[in-house]
Amino acid sequence: MTHLLDPVRKAAAAAPERPARTAAARTARRKALLHWIAVHSLGIAAALFFVLPFVFVVLTSLMSDQQALTRDLTPNTWEWGNYERVFNTPGFLTWWRNTLLYAGLGTVLTVVSSIPVAYALAKFRFRGRKLSLMLVISMMMLPPQVVIIPMYLFWAKQMDLSGTLWPLIIPMAFGDAFSIFLLRQFLLTIPNEYLDAAKVDGCGEFRTLMKVVLPMARPGIAAIALFQFFAAWNDYFGPQIYASENPAAWTLSYGLESFKGAHHTDWNLTMAATVLVMAPVIAVFFFAQKAFVEGVTLTGVKG
């Protein structure tokens, strides 16, 4: 009879333990949540610091003229027509076309011209190699404002290209110091054994570069391409110097300043134009961020 009562006694003894275990598990989950918040609080604060201004710009761009810059945080009526009004502004599509030409063609020229130089500095052994690298680094430290006067005299007076974007695009065909240095650092991470194996198979330097190095260097190439595209897309100083006298050659960054001056009381339209200027850059980075981050993180592993 006693052995029949043992399971009942054990169940009765275990019954108070279940609520205790549940409370312990709940406490553990709460501690884990607090630990996660403590660890990521700085990241959350930084994310809000960068995201909230963009949210404010987007919401303001969808407000009416009377509601913009009031205490209201969200639009009473969603004015999607503001973007259409911006697009219909005379010259806006021209600014878009000029910016795409400047950023797109300039990026292609920079990448094509920087790859051979970076490859030579990373994989070739020649007299003056260190001096060449020091010259590239020195060019990175030289502010563009230092040489703007002689460059302007050359392009505007000698070449007669003022009022166009060609003084900004043509120099990109001769490489960019930052792109050369960044790509050179990435190419150093590629083992020389791959290049030696290609040469044993009969590949020359050009074929080795095209068939072996470039496929392995895609993240680094994507990184310098994005850096150059962003720099050209957001460039204000260059178009102001060379293209300010010709509205048909303005870019979005310079034209936006003119748009803001013409619509200084229509803040909803100004914010809509700002969103249209930022949107392509955000979209490009969103789709290429994996290659961009990989190219930057792998750069500088070897020196």
Side-chain angles (χ1 to χ4, degrees), residues 39-81:
V39 171
H40 296 84
S41 58
L42 183 60
I44 295 173
L48 292 176
F49 179 79
F50 287 103
V51 171
L52 289 180
F54 179 74
V55 173
F56 170 78
V57 170
V58 173
L59 292 178
T60 305
S61 69
L62 295 173
M63 292 181 180
S64 61
D65 298 340
Q66 295 76 18
Q67 189 186 2
L69 294 187
T70 61
R71 294 184 178 181
D72 297 334
L73 298 179
T74 58
N76 295 330
T77 57
W78 298 84
E79 301 289 341
W80 297 100

Side-chain angles (χ1 to χ4, degrees), residues 184-227:
R184 181 255 181 190
Q185 294 300 108
F186 185 89
L187 293 179
L188 288 175
T189 64
I190 299 177
N192 293 329
E193 288 76 8
Y194 291 102
L195 281 67
D196 296 337
K199 293 174 182 178
V200 169
D201 291 338
C203 294
E205 293 294 348
F206 181 77
R207 190 176 179 186
T208 301
L209 173 63
M210 298 300 295
K211 298 295 184 180
V212 179
V213 176
L214 292 187
M216 300 181 66
R218 286 177 182 173
I221 296 174
I224 66 171
L226 287 175
F227 273 124

Side-chain angles (χ1 to χ4, degrees), residues 34 59-60 67 72 87 102 105 134 162 198 282:
L34 293 176
L59 292 178
T60 305
Q67 189 186 2
D72 297 334
F87 263 114
Y102 176 29
L105 183 58
M134 292 301 298
S162 61
I282 296 174

Side-chain angles (χ1 to χ4, degrees), residues 142-150:
L142 188 66
Q145 291 80 4
V146 175
V147 297
I148 190 61
I149 294 179

Side-chain angles (χ1 to χ4, degrees), residues 26-189:
R26 191 181 300 111
T27 302
R29 288 195 297 268
R30 189 181 298 111
K31 289 183 178 180
L33 177 61
L34 293 176
H35 177 74
W36 186 92
I37 294 175
V39 171
H40 296 84
S41 58
L42 183 60
I44 295 173
L48 292 176
F49 179 79
F50 287 103
V51 171
L52 289 180
F54 179 74
V55 173
F56 170 78
V57 170
V58 173
L59 292 178
T60 305
S61 69
L62 295 173
M63 292 181 180
S64 61
D65 298 340
Q66 295 76 18
Q67 189 186 2
L69 294 187
T70 61
R71 294 184 178 181
D72 297 334
L73 298 179
T74 58
N76 295 330
T77 57
W78 298 84
E79 301 289 341
W80 297 100
N82 291 340
Y83 292 98
E84 183 179 358
R85 293 170 62 184
V86 171
F87 263 114
N88 292 333
T89 300
F92 192 82
L93 292 180
T94 301
W95 304 341
W96 261 87
R97 185 178 64 251
N98 295 336
T99 306
L100 288 175
L101 174 66
Y102 176 29
L105 183 58
T107 300
V108 173
L109 292 176
T110 299
V111 172
V112 172
S113 59
S114 298
I115 288 176
V117 181
Y119 177 63
L121 292 175
K123 299 302 181 182
F124 289 179
R125 297 294 180 266
F126 57 90
R127 182 177 298 178
R129 175 170 168 266
K130 292 185 178 180
L131 178 60
S132 301
L133 180 60
M134 292 301 298
L135 289 176
V136 171
I137 296 175
S138 300
M139 291 300 297
M140 292 172 53
M141 299 178 181
L142 188 66
Q145 291 80 4
V146 175
V147 297
I148 190 61
I149 294 179
M151 292 295 293
Y152 179 80
L153 292 176
F154 173 76
W155 291 111
K157 303 302 181 182
Q158 301 297 326
M159 304 301 294
D160 195 23
L161 290 176
S162 61
T164 68
L165 294 175
W166 292 113
L168 301 174
I169 298 175
I170 295 176
M172 296 182 185
F174 300 94
D176 174 70
F178 176 76
S179 300
I180 292 172
F181 177 77
L182 188 68
L183 188 57
R184 181 255 181 190
Q185 294 300 108
F186 185 89
L187 293 179
L188 288 175
T189 64

